[in-house]
Amino acid sequence: MKRVILDTNIYGRIIERKEREIIEKTLDGKTDVIIYGFDVVRKELRKISSNVRYEGVHVRMALLSLYDNIAKTHIYMTTSLIKKLADEYYDIYRQLGGKEKREEIINDFLIVACASIHELDLVVSDDNRTMLNESAIKTYNIVNKLRSYSTPDFIHYDAFRRSIV
């Protein structure tokens, strides 16, 4: 069974590509894939203005509904251990020459920390600038090895979609 967490940008990708119905239906029928939610992701989705529309659809409402429908009851909350691991990621990331400011990358680090601590198999993200940049990937591997956590695999949305549909 694949245990998966979706980065915030993936929910937007699903809505943007008008694939909500097929993704929800496919995941609802799958027993070999579980999508996990994370409070950090939901908070990011809630930050979207309630006035934003995309082709007549209230984006925030659509994203939150999608999140709730596919994560269901599999929700992780931020803990002090997750925060500590994300802080360690940031420290090493900066030592490796990472350029992003803390506030621009910390949520990505929290998502990866959650996935690592809870031994999730996959993180799905299209965020090559922060979450999936070379320094960040090196960081996860270094810190997780030191802390005896497995680093999840990272895949882009298109690869994830092909693997489930």
Side-chain angles (χ1 to χ4, degrees), residues 102-128:
R102 180 180 173 75
E103 54 272 3
E104 294 173 359
I105 201 165
I106 197 64
N107 284 349
D108 292 339
F109 287 171
L110 287 165
I111 291 166
V112 176
C114 176
S116 297
I117 287 169
H118 293 289
E119 300 178 349
L120 301 185
D121 301 299
L122 292 173
V123 174
V124 181
S125 180
D126 285 344
D127 187 351
N128 293 319

Side-chain angles (χ1 to χ4, degrees), residues 15-148:
I15 298 297
E16 173 187 73
R17 293 187 181 177
K18 299 179 177 93
E19 295 178 344
R20 178 182 176 170
E21 187 176 317
I22 190 164
I23 294 297
E24 286 179 336
K25 186 175 183 178
T26 300
L27 288 172
D28 195 41
K30 287 248 176 229
T31 58
D32 60 338
V33 176
I34 297 176
I35 303 297
Y36 285 82
F38 183 41
D39 66 336
V40 169
V41 172
R42 194 164 203 294
K43 287 174 187 172
E44 285 185 323
L45 295 173
R46 285 193 56 79
K47 284 183 184 177
I48 296 168
S49 170
S50 60
N51 298 325
V52 176
R53 291 178 177 260
Y54 178 73
E55 297 185 1
V57 174
H58 284 97
V59 172
R60 183 172 122 181
M61 191 181 326
L63 292 169
L64 289 169
S65 176
L66 172 63
Y67 171 93
D68 291 340
N69 288 343
I70 64 177
K72 297 181 179 152
T73 60
H74 302 100
I75 310 292
Y76 288 119
M77 304 304 285
T78 304
T79 63
S80 58
L81 184 59
I82 288 171
K83 287 180 186 176
K84 182 179 178 192
L85 186 58
D87 288 340
E88 288 181 42
Y89 288 160
Y90 187 72
D91 292 343
I92 298 299
Y93 170 78
R94 292 298 290 197
Q95 290 175 31
L96 292 175
K99 305 283 188 224
E100 301 300 326
K101 293 179 183 173
R102 180 180 173 75
E103 54 272 3
E104 294 173 359
I105 201 165
I106 197 64
N107 284 349
D108 292 339
F109 287 171
L110 287 165
I111 291 166
V112 176
C114 176
S116 297
I117 287 169
H118 293 289
E119 300 178 349
L120 301 185
D121 301 299
L122 292 173
V123 174
V124 181
S125 180
D126 285 344
D127 187 351
N128 293 319
R129 186 180 66 83
T130 56
M131 183 183 281
L132 302 178
N133 74 46
E134 187 178 332
S135 294
I137 298 291
K138 283 182 185 175
T139 294
Y140 310 139
N141 289 324
I142 290 168
V143 175
N144 285 351
K145 186 172 183 178
L146 288 171
R147 300 286 172 245
S148 299

